Amino acid sequence: MTAGAIERRLTVDGLGLEAVELEGDPHEPPFVLLHEGLGSVGLWRDFPAALQDVSGRRVLAFSRFGHGRSDLPPRPRTPAFFHEEALEVLPRALEQLGAADPLLVGHSDGGSIALIHAGRHPVAGIALLAPHVIVEDVTVAAIRQARAAFDGGGLRERMARHHDDPDAAFSGWCDVWLDPAFRAWSLEDDAALVRSPTLLIQGAEDPYGTLEQLDRIEARVRGPVRRLVVPGGHSPHLDAREPVLDALVRWASDPTRP
């Protein structure tokens, strides 16, 4: 767990979600971190503490069902899970965290969830790190490589250090993305509902998606947009931490400025 974080336990439909809070200014919108497809509270590493340190704001994070120390999901994942997380789970998690009008920071799948949520619920802004709104060939190829790494044992062993059930965490992500029916998935209509300030960040060498993801979001959201491309891969907050932290703090201080 991140140093200095307060452990929380959320309950949604009778099931528990692992959560943490780093205390900060109660009068400013908090940062709420939504992890990637294989992520968890712990896999943000020291980024939450660094973000709290430079911003002075509350920073909150939770692990989705089947991830980290959270309970298993109530039903098998389907392509509908993005909307289920954004419209059913996230509103209740935010209420329990006392995070009205948050600054959502979503990484990869978490970015897609933040985008959907912001189109239908009030937020102070959304910062999307390596988000997905369409399925690209490079995404599918990278996930197939991850499947091979998991089946080979190496990735499963690493995931077992961070997830109570690494098989559930992996299959809940991989099986959805590799479902042939998922190739037609798109969140472009959802992006067109977003009127909140949006910060888009991606690594220039991201193996899971091209800059077309950012292009499509920027073309459709209706609020002010800022954009940052940094060196590195699919985890810009880890690969280029200082530029990402700086961008987040500057954006949070005046998110309505384009």
Side-chain angles (χ1 to χ4, degrees), residues 38 132 135-150 155 170 173-174 177-178 183 205-210 234:
L38 296 181
H132 300 284
V135 180
E136 297 182 272
D137 290 342
V138 295
T139 312
V140 173
I143 292 172
R144 285 176 176 155
Q145 291 178 356
R147 169 92 266 176
F150 188 85
L155 178 57
F170 186 84
W173 167 73
C174 180
W177 278 98
L178 295 186
R183 291 304 298 265
E205 296 82 36
D206 189 343
Y208 284 92
T210 71
H234 192 56

Side-chain angles (χ1 to χ4, degrees), residues 93-142:
L94 293 174
E95 181 179 8
Q96 293 176 54
L97 291 168
D101 204 28
L103 291 163
L104 297 178
V105 181
H107 177 210
S108 190
D109 286 14
S112 304
I113 291 166
L115 182 75
I116 297 168
H117 180 88
R120 297 165 177 84
H121 294 274
V123 297
I126 53 173
L128 310 181
L129 315 178
H132 300 284
V133 290
I134 57 170
V135 180
E136 297 182 272
D137 290 342
V138 295
T139 312
V140 173

